[in-house]
Amino acid sequence: GDEFTVGLRFRVAELKGSEYDTLLMGHDGKHWLAVECSKRRFCCADGKSKATSILDHTIPLNEWVVVFLQPRGDQTVVFTNDADGFLEAGVFEMALKGSKLDKMGWAENEVHIAEVMLWPRVLSWSEMASALPATPTPEPPKLPKPPRPRSSFRGQVVDTSGGGVPDVQVKWGKKKSAVTDEDGGFAGELSDAETDVPDDAASVGSGGSTWSTSSVISFRSENFAPALHMPSAPSEAQRRVCG
């Protein structure tokens, strides 16, 4: 008919050569819509007269593009979408009235056609814009997870009289140790990755304990027998330990 709207959603994956790849072709040899290979521009051609009409609009590679064709007197107006939104890309100096769609995707290069839409009337600007597929909202970038703070503990080694015991070697985690100060005090940190225990504590924690083996603390001093301590809660790691 004299009034129509043709819509096409396509994607150009690769373009080589100096000719053009046809997306829509009529029965009369008119290439309704083609892509000029050298500069990736919209093109319309008449196979019989060899006349061509090219628009100064670059088509992106590997992106879905929607284009609409409508008659405008002896011309054909082209609408499309890009990063800035819906727009009029230009006008082909060629009419498509009387031509019937015969072929799709007549191309030597890799061109993908997702859908063809036909209306027996001239759609309004808002109707064409609303027919565009919704652009998915990009997901916000994932923020890196903040490092988990290490669990810290402190304690004091005392004798049976309550006095601090200095120079006691305290071991925990994976090859970490400290020596008590003159008041018997000590402090340290535990990371989630530390699950090994000192050799002196290997026999502890295997009897169905629900606590991480990294919580086991061993004590060694020349004046006292070796001792072990497994706190029942993180806060109890700060309590005083008798040697």
Side-chain angles (χ1 to χ4, degrees):
D2 292 342
E3 292 189 352
F4 61 86
T5 300
V6 178
L8 177 70
R9 185 159 66 100
F10 72 97
R11 179 176 63 186
V12 176
E14 183 183 24
L15 283 180
K16 295 180 180 179
S18 58
E19 299 296 325
Y20 51 82
D21 284 349
T22 300
L23 302 174
L24 300 175
M25 184 174 181
H27 76 290
D28 53 358
K30 284 186 178 180
H31 300 255
W32 292 10
L33 184 65
V35 179
E36 182 195 31
C37 296
S38 59
K39 296 183 178 180
R40 302 200 316 270
R41 298 182 296 182
F42 287 125
C43 174
C44 184
D46 189 328
K48 294 180 179 179
S49 66
K50 306 300 181 182
T52 59
S53 181
I54 300 175
L55 303 184
D56 188 18
H57 181 87
T58 303
I59 302 169
L61 286 176
N62 295 312
E63 293 184 17
W64 289 106
V65 176
V66 178
V67 61
F68 295 93
L69 305 177
Q70 288 184 342
R72 183 179 290 177
D74 294 333
Q75 302 171 323
T76 301
V77 61
V78 180
F79 301 91
T80 188
N81 66 308
D82 62 9
D84 296 327
F86 190 60
L87 54 90
E88 179 178 322
V91 178
F92 289 141
E93 298 296 331
M94 191 176 301
L96 301 180
K97 295 178 182 179
S99 182
K100 298 178 181 180
L101 182 61
D102 184 54
K103 295 182 179 67
M104 293 186 296
W106 189 29
E108 294 183 359
N109 293 293
E110 186 176 354
V111 177
H112 305 152
I113 296 178
E115 59 181 329
V116 177
M117 300 162 281
L118 302 173
W119 292 269
R121 60 188 178 87
V122 175
L123 297 184
S124 66
W125 181 283
S126 60
E127 287 178 311
M128 288 187 290
S130 63
L132 294 174
T135 302
T137 303
E139 295 184 2
K142 294 183 179 181
L143 298 177
K145 292 183 179 180
R148 295 184 62 180
R150 293 185 176 184
S151 300
S152 61
F153 62 90
R154 58 188 178 87
Q156 184 184 26
V157 179
V158 297
D159 57 23
T160 55
S161 301
V165 181
D167 300 325
V168 176
Q169 187 179 37
V170 183
K171 290 185 178 181
W172 71 93
K174 190 175 183 179
K175 298 181 180 180
K176 289 192 175 182
S177 64
V179 177
T180 58
D181 57 23
E182 58 183 7
D183 296 321
F186 64 92
E189 290 183 345
L190 287 173
S191 66
D192 293 338
E194 293 173 332
T195 57
D196 294 338
V197 300
D199 295 338
D200 295 336
S203 61
V204 178
S206 60
S209 173
T210 59
W211 300 106
S212 168
T213 54
S214 63
S215 300
V216 177
I217 303 174
S218 69
F219 304 89
R220 181 180 295 275
S221 175
E222 292 182 0
N223 300 322
F224 297 91
L228 299 174
H229 174 61
M230 180 180 288
S232 58
S235 60
E236 294 190 23
Q238 299 181 8
R239 71 183 185 181
R240 299 170 68 183
V241 180
C242 294

